């Protein structure tokens, strides 16, 4: 049973289809016993999916909802087997969650990745896990074998809460701290919210059915203490904020004088290579220095960071450059095209002298190149944004502004500051990657939610279709970000299928909940449903087989 449960978690789609082929035809006669609400929601959702289907892939996705009634009945069919092995289910879930937590720690800390790299070339599951682990090293969020941090965390909710509700072993309470550990290492706020809501629903269910006992308070205290310990110690030896810190508010830190992010660290979060390669080089004075080498013929090939200039403000840009190619034309380049026109700054070394010019809403206030000796030059450019609105300022260091390849320059001590400077150089370092990504994600979710709501208001009845959100979001926010969905089950349903789609979803959920009166029970089913729905207020994983298939199957199990 443990092996079967592990296969069901790793390959839920294949497992579900196999069960349907083996046993589903026997349950066809009982389909009429399901509530009418459930059938109305299923058929209405299926029709709306076909209405917007653009290819066979979309049709297959629509067929997924027709599998749910069979899976619900299969849960009832397997109930006698599951009831005979209640304690086995408990230890199987503990084992699976323990493996998940171990894999999360391996990914984040890099334990054993070197020998794994040699084995990965011979076995594709290890190769996939190894590639995901390299990604985890950059993001600080475990993805497991699912290659998706949110899904990795949310996948623990259903088996975890089901084991606590269904099993009789006292060891079932060990499931909760293991579940917390996987969620924290995945850095998933969606799974965290689902876990908290599920625990509250579980506590209410226990109090209503068994009364408030001292043992409940004891286990709740132990679970809370374990949760705090895991937040403090997981993952060992790594630097990232705990999940709880994402929900804490703190006064904003004062802005540094140097507006460049990571002025002394080659962070791909802030610096972008535009047809150049970049490497760190050692200098005699140990100042962090980068070699920027041109790899394409585009004159504006550069190492760039995107900043923003406030309207009406004066800024001073300074940096030290060393041209390694005598015939090259190195310099500083900024160029952006907007509805108000083209705005640019160009600084270049040509004809044995430095030149600077600005166009558009950028006004060149002053330009002061200074020779420092040993071939180094310090450039100081003072400019003003004369526009009445913030102006994007993608500024970069160009090795050669000719149609040639191979030139290189050395760059160090880059600084952009408010006012007429320059002030003494102030190095900046990247903040914690996970904290940065989490805050950017939290701010971005609000924009995504607003865009989804605006889309619903424009087409309130039938919506836009499942795959229209990316284009709508880019049009609505003037952003180039590729956002596949609204990261919220209900907002995505309103956007894609309108009020009719939301009605079908609500009918499906109500019918499913009503059907559990004869299976798992309304109290237990409430815990599972609330945990999954709460998690889907911050992400959209409900229709993934790891969630929907397993949810419906477990709701069909008779307690």
């Amino acid at each position: 049973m443990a092996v079967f449960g592990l296969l069901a978690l790793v390959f839920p789609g294949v497992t579900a289809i196999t069960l349907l082929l083996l046993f589903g035809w026997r349950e066809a006669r009982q389909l009429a016993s399901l509530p009418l609400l459930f059938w109305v929601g299923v058929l209405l959702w299926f029709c709306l999916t076909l209405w917007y289907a653009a290819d066979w892939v979309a049709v297959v996705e629509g067929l997924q909802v027709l599998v749910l009634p069979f899976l619900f009945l299969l849960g009832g069919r397997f109930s006698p087997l599951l009831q005979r092995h209640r304690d086995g289910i408990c230890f199987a879930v503990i084992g699976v969650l323990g493996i998940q937590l171990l894999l999360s720690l391996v990914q984040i800390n890099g334990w054993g990745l070197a020998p794994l790299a040699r084995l990965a070339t011979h076995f594709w599951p290890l190769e996939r896990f190894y590639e995901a682990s390299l990604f985890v090293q950059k993001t600080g969020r475990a993805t497991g074998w699912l290659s998706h941090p949110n899904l990795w965390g949310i996948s623990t909710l259903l088996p975890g809460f089901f084991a606590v509700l269904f099993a009789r072993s006292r060891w079932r309470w060990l499931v909760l701290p293991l579940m917390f550990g996987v969620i924290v290492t995945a850095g998933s706020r969606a799974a965290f919210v689902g876990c908290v809501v599920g625990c509250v629903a579980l506590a209410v269910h226990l109090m209503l059915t068994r009364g408030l006992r001292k043992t409940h308070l004891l286990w709740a205290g132990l679970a809370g203490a374990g949760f705090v310990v895991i937040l403090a110690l997981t993952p060992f030896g790594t630097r990232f904020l705990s999940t709880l810190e994402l929900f804490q508010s703190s006064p904003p830190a004062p802005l540094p004088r140097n507006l460049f992010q990571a002025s002394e660290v080659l962070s791909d979060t802030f610096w972008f290579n535009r047809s150049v390669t970049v490497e760190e080089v050692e200098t005699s004075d140990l100042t962090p220095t980068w070699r920027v080498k041109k790899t394409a013929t585009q004159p504006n090939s550069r190492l760039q960071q995107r900043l923003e200039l406030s309207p009406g403000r004066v800024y001073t840009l300074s940096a030290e450059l060393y041209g390694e190619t005598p015939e090259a034309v190195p310099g500083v380049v900024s160029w952006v095209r907007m509805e108000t026109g083209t705005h640019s700054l160009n600084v270049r070394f040509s004809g044995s002298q430095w030149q600077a010019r600005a166009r558009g809403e950028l006004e060149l206030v002053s330009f002061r190149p200074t020779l420092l000796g040993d071939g180094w030059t310090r450039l100081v450019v003072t400019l003003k944004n004369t526009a009445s609105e913030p102006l994007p300022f993608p500024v970069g260091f160009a090795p050669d502004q000719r149609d040639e390849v191979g030139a290189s320059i050395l760059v160090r001590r880059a600084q952009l500051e408010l006012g007429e400077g320059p002030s003494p150089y102030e190095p900046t370092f990247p903040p914690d990657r996970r904290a940065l990504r989490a805050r950017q994600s939290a701010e971005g979710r609000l924009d995504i939610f607003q865009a989804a709501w605006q889309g619903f208001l424009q087409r309130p009845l039938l919506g836009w279709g499942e795959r229209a959100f990316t284009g709508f979001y880019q049009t609505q926010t003037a952003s180039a970000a590729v956002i596949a969905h609204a990261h919220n089950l209900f907002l995505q349903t309103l956007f894609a299928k309108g009020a009719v789609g939301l009605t079908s979803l609500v009918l499906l959920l109500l019918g499913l909940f009503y059907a559990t009166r004869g299976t798992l029970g309304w109290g237990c089913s409430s815990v599972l449903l609330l945990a999954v729905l709460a998690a889907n207020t911050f992400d959209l994983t409900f229709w993934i087989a790891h969630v929907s298939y397993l949810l419906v199957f477990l709701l069909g199990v008779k307690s």
Side-chain angles (χ1 to χ4, degrees):
M1 178 172 290
V3 175
F4 177 78
L6 184 60
L7 289 175
L9 289 176
V10 181
F11 306 107
V14 176
T15 306
I17 297 302
T18 303
L19 291 176
L20 287 177
L21 293 177
L22 293 176
F23 306 103
W25 61 273
R26 301 180 184 179
E27 312 298 335
R29 292 174 296 179
Q30 302 183 30
L31 291 176
S33 64
L34 295 176
L36 180 61
L37 286 177
F38 182 60
W39 276 113
V40 172
V42 167
L43 296 177
L44 190 55
W45 187 273
F46 175 68
C47 293
L48 287 173
T49 304
L50 290 185
W51 177 268
Y52 286 112
D55 49 36
W56 284 106
V57 176
V59 174
V60 173
E61 292 175 354
L63 292 174
Q64 176 183 356
V65 74
L66 297 180
V67 177
L68 301 184
F70 291 93
L71 288 175
F72 183 83
L73 296 175
L74 281 176
R77 182 179 182 84
F78 278 81
S79 295
L81 175 63
L82 297 177
Q83 289 172 357
R84 288 197 301 269
H85 300 280
R86 288 177 181 263
D87 291 343
I89 290 173
C90 173
F91 291 112
V93 172
I94 290 176
V96 170
L97 293 180
I99 292 173
Q100 286 188 265
L101 181 58
L102 178 62
L103 291 178
S104 297
L105 295 175
V106 167
Q107 282 188 326
I108 292 179
N109 292 279
W111 298 336
L113 288 186
L116 182 62
R118 292 192 293 268
L119 296 174
T121 57
H122 304 287
F123 190 47
W124 71 264
L126 289 180
E127 182 179 4
R128 179 182 177 185
F129 181 78
Y130 175 69
E131 292 175 352
S133 300
L134 296 180
F135 171 78
V136 170
Q137 295 296 307
K138 296 181 179 180
T139 62
R141 300 178 63 183
T143 63
W145 55 65
L146 300 178
S147 300
H148 190 304
N150 279 342
L151 184 56
W152 184 239
I154 292 173
S155 67
T156 66
L157 297 179
L158 288 172
F161 284 120
F162 180 78
V164 172
L165 291 166
F166 193 75
R168 294 172 179 172
S169 172
R170 293 184 178 181
W171 293 99
R172 69 184 186 274
W173 298 105
L174 184 60
V175 167
L176 294 179
L178 290 175
M179 186 166 59
F180 290 150
V182 177
I183 291 173
V184 170
T185 54
S188 172
R189 286 161 298 177
F192 182 82
V193 172
C195 185
V196 170
V197 172
C199 287
V200 172
L202 176 62
V204 173
H205 169 67
L206 292 177
M207 286 189 292
L208 292 178
T209 56
R210 305 179 186 178
L212 184 61
R213 301 178 182 178
K214 293 182 179 179
T215 54
H216 294 161
L217 295 177
L218 175 62
W219 281 114
L222 291 176
F227 187 31
V228 172
V229 170
I230 290 173
L231 286 176
L233 300 180
T234 305
F236 303 99
T238 60
R239 298 168 47 217
F240 69 78
L241 299 178
S242 67
T243 303
L244 281 179
E245 188 166 338
L246 304 179
F247 299 92
Q248 296 173 349
S249 59
S250 57
L255 289 176
R257 182 171 66 248
N258 189 355
L259 301 182
F260 275 117
Q261 298 274 11
S263 67
E264 294 194 353
V265 179
L266 281 176
S267 170
D268 55 5
T269 304
F270 305 105
W271 294 101
F272 301 94
N273 302 342
R274 297 289 183 259
S275 301
V276 296
T277 59
V278 188
E279 62 176 349
E280 294 189 32
V281 297
E282 294 184 2
T283 58
S284 58
D285 57 0
L286 302 181
T287 301
T289 304
W290 303 335
R291 173 178 286 114
V292 184
K293 186 173 182 179
K294 188 176 180 182
T295 59
T297 58
Q298 288 86 349
N300 291 334
S301 301
R302 61 196 181 276
L303 174 66
Q304 172 182 288
Q305 185 169 144
R306 186 178 180 88
L307 303 168
E308 186 177 78
L309 306 182
S310 300
R313 303 299 297 270
V314 176
Y315 294 84
T316 298
L317 171 66
S318 59
E320 296 180 8
L321 272 63
Y322 177 87
E324 294 187 309
T325 307
E327 66 276 9
V329 183
V332 180
V333 176
S334 175
W335 183 91
V336 61
R337 177 177 295 172
M338 303 175 61
E339 294 181 356
T340 56
T342 300
H343 316 285
S344 65
L345 170 70
N346 186 281
V347 179
R348 60 168 55 198
F349 183 78
S350 179
S352 71
Q353 64 179 354
W354 286 94
Q355 304 170 0
R357 62 178 182 178
R359 289 197 307 167
E361 301 290 352
L362 284 176
E363 176 185 334
L364 182 63
V365 178
S366 64
F367 173 56
R368 301 184 298 278
T370 304
L371 295 177
L372 301 178
D374 296 330
W376 285 91
T377 302
R378 188 186 191 197
L379 304 178
V380 179
V381 184
T382 304
L383 57 139
K384 180 179 180 180
N385 176 17
T386 60
S388 58
E389 59 185 16
L391 187 65
F393 188 57
V395 61
F397 301 100
D400 189 2
Q401 299 181 53
R402 304 176 303 159
D403 298 332
E404 303 290 341
V405 179
S408 62
I409 58 170
L410 302 182
V411 181
R412 66 184 184 185
R413 291 176 177 162
Q415 178 162 293
L416 179 68
E417 58 186 300
L418 272 170
E420 295 191 29
S423 301
Y425 169 69
E426 177 183 281
T428 58
F429 301 92
D432 181 85
R433 285 176 181 262
R434 183 174 180 272
L436 173 69
R437 291 177 184 269
R439 293 193 177 94
Q440 289 176 339
S441 175
E443 296 169 357
R445 292 289 165 89
L446 296 178
D447 295 335
I448 294 172
F449 293 165
Q450 292 173 0
W453 180 252
Q454 291 299 321
F456 164 67
L457 294 179
Q458 295 181 25
R459 293 188 181 179
L461 188 60
L462 294 176
W464 296 75
E466 290 290 346
R467 303 188 180 182
F469 187 78
T470 299
F472 182 86
Y473 176 80
Q474 292 175 343
T475 303
Q476 188 77 12
T477 61
S479 170
V482 179
I483 307 297
H485 50 74
H487 290 275
N488 181 290
L489 173 63
F490 302 102
L491 285 176
Q492 175 64 22
T493 302
L494 284 173
F495 174 85
K497 294 180 172 64
V500 176
L502 183 63
T503 302
S504 67
L505 177 63
V506 171
L507 291 177
L508 189 154
L509 293 174
L510 287 178
L512 190 61
F513 178 70
Y514 184 73
T516 59
R517 74 191 188 281
T519 57
L520 194 61
W522 286 345
C524 296
S525 60
S526 298
V527 177
L528 299 181
L529 278 170
L530 288 175
V532 171
L533 293 179
N536 276 268
T537 58
F538 281 87
D539 200 15
L540 185 60
T541 55
F542 183 82
W543 292 111
I544 298 178
H546 291 83
V547 179
S548 59
Y549 285 1
L550 187 59
L551 171 66
V552 175
F553 179 84
L554 294 179
L555 291 178
V557 175
K558 297 178 181 179
S559 60

